[in-house]
Amino acid sequence: MKVTYFSSGEFARLCGTTKETLRHYHNIGLLVPARTTENGYHYYASFQFYDYYFISSFKGTSLSLKDLQQRLEGSDEHAFRDTLQHQLDEIRREQEDLAKKEKLLRRTLEKFEYLYEGDAIGQVRLYDMEEEYYIATPVLGNAGSDRVWLETIRSHLSYCSSHHLNQEYQLTYCWNQEEMLAGAENDGWSICSQIASPVDDPHLLRKPKGVYACILLRDYDFSITQYDLLKEKIAAMGLDICGNAYESDVSLFSTAMKDSYLTEISVMVK
């Protein structure tokens, strides 16, 4: 088969790139001209178009130019397959991160609607809720200590990140039913991040399907009186608490907006 040669400019035009890009690939040994004349002119062979096409196809991925160079030089195909699989796994993780960010934005926008429902604040409402899933980290020590609380949050976020578990900006605080009913405000707490579906993880916490009494509170500083108020209202409705309490942020946290800071407490009832 006869080989046709093209000047750098013509080859760049055919490939839809620039001479500067070809020069860069030449300098790093990724795509070297097939022929160089005595006066220094470079020419590319027609078959090198397919090498450039291969490079440009994978250039948008996280494959390094070194990986591509080794493949063009005829390196082990099994090793290259492993490289491709690794890059595919990375892309999937990036997609999961993007999906998590999209969900965060959507849920945050939905939560802002609560800010305009002034008559809903302080009122107990009953909701039928589906089962939800969380990654939970118990607060080990006195939950009334800021140091213990923040150390637990740091440990929790680090665990979620290292295990690639989706986490929302808004944290949820779970108070064990026994301690909550007893009013033991410094015990029985866990830091939780909601996830979309259950996973095989020792930190998995299932929030059961059922009827939940929910109350919106405009408050920033934690006080057990919040839960006393909820328990009183639940008792007045002729209901019994039969599960843990879950407290989550409604508005995004901001120390400069304490007056408009909203939390929602929900607890399973029967």
Side-chain angles (χ1 to χ4, degrees), residues 118-159:
D119 60 337
I121 297 174
Q123 303 299 316
V124 174
R125 297 182 178 183
L126 299 179
Y127 295 97
D128 289 312
M129 294 187 175
E130 296 298 320
E131 186 175 56
E132 295 180 349
Y133 313 99
Y134 293 84
I135 296 300
T137 301
V139 178
L140 301 178
N142 185 348
S145 165
D146 285 343
R147 182 177 298 279
V148 171
W149 194 259
L150 294 179
E151 283 289 352
T152 304
I153 293 177
R154 181 199 62 78
S155 175
H156 172 77
L157 295 177
S158 176
Y159 182 87

Side-chain angles (χ1 to χ4, degrees), residues 91-227:
I91 289 174
R92 286 172 176 165
R93 277 193 284 270
E94 291 173 4
Q95 290 175 330
E96 291 175 357
D97 288 339
L98 287 174
K100 178 189 71 174
K101 292 174 182 177
E102 179 185 10
K103 180 181 177 182
L104 168 62
L105 292 173
R106 289 186 182 278
R107 288 177 64 88
T108 302
L109 287 171
E110 291 172 1
K111 288 176 182 292
F112 266 106
E113 296 300 319
Y114 283 119
L115 297 175
Y116 306 104
E117 296 184 19
D119 60 337
I121 297 174
Q123 303 299 316
V124 174
R125 297 182 178 183
L126 299 179
Y127 295 97
D128 289 312
M129 294 187 175
E130 296 298 320
E131 186 175 56
E132 295 180 349
Y133 313 99
Y134 293 84
I135 296 300
T137 301
V139 178
L140 301 178
N142 185 348
S145 165
D146 285 343
R147 182 177 298 279
V148 171
W149 194 259
L150 294 179
E151 283 289 352
T152 304
I153 293 177
R154 181 199 62 78
S155 175
H156 172 77
L157 295 177
S158 176
Y159 182 87
C160 289
S161 177
S162 63
H163 288 74
H164 304 290
L165 296 167
N166 290 342
Q167 61 199 51
E168 299 179 295
Y169 175 84
Q170 289 94 341
L171 293 172
T172 296
Y173 314 107
C174 177
W175 197 7
N176 182 274
Q177 178 185 358
E178 183 178 352
E179 281 78 8
M180 185 260 295
L181 292 177
E185 61 184 293
N186 294 326
D187 299 312
W189 288 93
S190 295
I191 308 296
C192 307
S193 290
Q194 189 173 8
I195 56 177
S197 57
V199 294
D200 184 14
D201 190 279
H203 287 248
L204 177 67
L205 172 67
R206 294 175 182 265
K207 181 180 177 181
K209 175 182 178 180
V211 177
Y212 283 79
C214 303
I215 186 170
L216 280 174
L217 297 169
R218 190 182 295 280
D219 205 346
Y220 164 70
D221 295 317
F222 169 79
S223 172
I224 195 173
T225 57
Q226 299 171 335
Y227 290 84

Side-chain angles (χ1 to χ4, degrees), residues 26-27 43 58 63 94 106 112 124 135 184 197 217 220 236 251 253 259 267:
H26 179 192
N27 291 337
Y43 291 88
F58 287 96
L63 283 172
E94 291 173 4
R106 289 186 182 278
F112 266 106
V124 174
I135 296 300
S197 57
L217 297 169
Y220 164 70
S251 53
F253 178 82
D259 293 338
V267 60

